[in-house]
């Protein structure tokens, strides 16, 4: 374990998570903001990252040059967009630095590219970086394992702010995967992601998703286990974005001395039983 502060780059520095990360890195022992990146043409280029995040000037100017930023850094924290994260994964692998990916909405092809980059890099990726949601995933897996799928239906409900662009949320999919693991099934072939019109009765053993969007909701998730005459509900409510940012910085520090590989927050938090 190194005694020096881990030099971190925040990409998507002007975004909701980017600004939160700049604040959380500032208050975390063992981590320091090395650089802050935005896309070329962004109005944030040239601004002081601390000033943008409400901390006052910290002497780190936002640039659009990730290659230069990664060169002398040890990790990059990335809550951006799927195409951007795939691109950053290639650059992070070249620079042999830790890449923490919070971006959601990645396609199967994107995931494959990230996994390929993890042959040379340490990538930690999760649809939700908070301790609470990852613990919830463990509980959902246990509940799904315990309850007979012919008697119990599983539905995942989520609500987010009106700016969110992907659905179902990364967290809803993480919880669906946990339920599928508990049941020993493949989520992709057992999920019902939308319902509309004359759907017919619910197919036994499927895992359903429902998506709500509105206002400034940070992130609400509920897994409903519905039996005959009874409901079990397991929920998580995010009060503010600092829970995700703290988890992401913890993941970067955890991965600092790990071998190249594709890790999840369950690995970081010691909750991985697989
Ligand atoms: N895993 C987790 O725990 C969490 C995941 N998320 C996920 O993180 C992602 C970002 O969320 P949020 O912060 O709310 O979104 P925002 O839109 O507020 O922020 C994304 C930022 O990334 C920037 N960006 C996009 N492409 C590039 C690029 N190529 N280079 C540099 N910067 C780029 C955007 O710039 P521009 O606006 O110009 O496009 C924007 O500033 C989403 O996928 C979200 O679902 C969010 C919270 C928690
Ligand atoms: O876009 C968001 O805001 C969030 N995205 C993540 C997701 O898709 O689950 C995590 C969190 O719920 C906030």
């Amino acid at each position: 374990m190194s005694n020096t502060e881990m030099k971190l780059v925040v990409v998507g520095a002007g975004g909701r998570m980017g600004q939160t990360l700049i604040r959380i890195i500032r208050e975390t022992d063992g981590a320091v903001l090395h650089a802050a990146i935005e896309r070329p043409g962004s109005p944030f280029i040239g601004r002081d990252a601390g000033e943008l995040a409400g901390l006052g000037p910290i002497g780190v100017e936002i640039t659009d040059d990730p290659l230069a930023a990664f060169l002398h850094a040890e990790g990059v924290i990335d809550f951006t967009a799927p195409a951007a994260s795939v691109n950053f994964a290639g650059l992070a692998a070249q620079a042999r630095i830790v890449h923490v990916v919070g971006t959601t909405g990645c396609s199967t092809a994107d995931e494959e590219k990230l996994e390929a980059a993890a042959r040379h890099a340490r990538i930690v990726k999760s649809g939700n970086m908070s301790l609470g949601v990852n613990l919830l995933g463990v509980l959902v897996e246990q509940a799904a394992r315990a309850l007979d799928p012919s008697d119990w239906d599983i539905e995942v409900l989520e609500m987010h702010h009106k700016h969110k662009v992907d659905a179902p949320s990364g967290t809803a999919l993480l919880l669906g995967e946990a339920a599928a693991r508990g049941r020993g099934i493949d989520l992709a072939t057992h999920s019902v992601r939308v319902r509309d019109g004359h759907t017919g009765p619910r197919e036994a053993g499927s895992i359903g998703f429902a998506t709500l969007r509105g206002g400034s909701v940070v992130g609400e998730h509920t897994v409903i286990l519905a039996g005959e005459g009874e409901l079990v509900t397991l929920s998580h409510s995010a009060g503010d974005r600092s829970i995700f940012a703290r988890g992401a910085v913890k993941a970067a520090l955890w991965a600092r001395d790990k071998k190249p590989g594709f890790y999840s927050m369950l690995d970081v938090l010691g909750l991985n039983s697989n």
Side-chain angles (χ1 to χ4, degrees):
M1 187 58 118
S2 170
N3 290 324
T4 56
E5 288 180 315
M6 185 175 186
K7 292 190 212 165
L8 297 175
V9 179
V10 172
V11 291
R16 283 174 286 273
M17 279 304 301
Q19 293 185 39
T20 312
L21 281 159
I22 291 164
R23 291 192 289 274
I24 294 298
I25 290 171
R26 186 70 165 178
E27 68 179 46
T28 304
D29 288 340
V32 65
L33 184 70
H34 174 69
I37 303 296
E38 259 298 337
R39 70 159 85 241
S42 161
F44 299 121
I45 305 295
R47 298 258 322 258
D48 184 280
E51 210 155 52
L52 181 65
L55 295 172
I58 58 172
V60 177
E61 194 176 287
I62 298 178
T63 79
D64 60 4
D65 187 355
L67 206 54
F70 291 6
L71 203 56
H72 298 293
E74 292 168 89
V76 50
I77 306 191
D78 174 357
F79 289 70
T80 56
S85 292
V86 167
N87 182 45
F88 290 133
L91 300 179
Q94 274 177 42
R96 298 282 190 271
I97 62 174
V98 170
H99 187 192
V100 176
V101 184
T103 305
T104 58
C106 292
S107 65
T108 308
D110 295 331
E111 295 285 353
E112 283 168 3
K113 287 177 193 155
L114 294 173
E115 283 174 31
R119 286 190 218 121
H120 307 289
R122 290 147 288 163
I123 296 184
V124 183
K125 182 172 185 295
S126 177
N128 196 302
M129 299 278 172
S130 74
L131 171 60
V133 158
N134 284 279
L135 178 63
L136 179 66
V138 173
L139 300 175
V140 166
E141 182 176 341
Q142 284 176 359
R145 185 170 293 121
L147 299 174
D148 186 338
S150 49
D151 295 332
W152 290 84
D153 301 322
I154 301 182
E155 296 280 311
V156 184
L157 173 66
E158 57 111 334
M159 180 161 188
H160 283 87
H161 53 93
K162 62 187 173 193
H163 306 289
K164 186 161 178 63
V165 294
D166 56 306
S169 69
T171 310
L173 294 171
L174 175 160
L175 295 170
E177 289 288 358
R181 244 189 339 271
R183 283 186 167 176
I185 57 170
D186 174 36
L187 181 65
T189 52
H190 288 82
S191 57
V192 177
R193 291 170 62 139
V194 282
R195 293 190 182 98
D196 187 27
H198 183 84
T199 61
R202 191 182 196 285
E203 195 177 325
S206 60
I207 296 175
F209 290 86
T211 300
L212 307 179
R213 293 285 177 268
S216 58
V217 176
V218 176
E220 298 285 321
H221 292 90
T222 300
V223 178
I224 302 168
L225 300 117
E228 210 52 54
E230 55 184 332
L231 286 186
V232 177
T233 56
L234 297 167
S235 295
H236 181 268
S237 184
D240 70 74
R241 291 184 174 82
S242 61
I243 58 171
F244 313 128
R246 275 198 204 93
V249 175
K250 188 183 183 99
L253 292 167
W254 175 88
R256 196 179 190 185
D257 62 0
K258 298 294 176 290
K259 293 192 192 126
F262 198 70
Y263 301 100
S264 77
M265 276 311 278
L266 292 177
D267 299 311
V268 175
L269 297 168
L271 294 171
N272 203 344
S273 58
N274 301 304

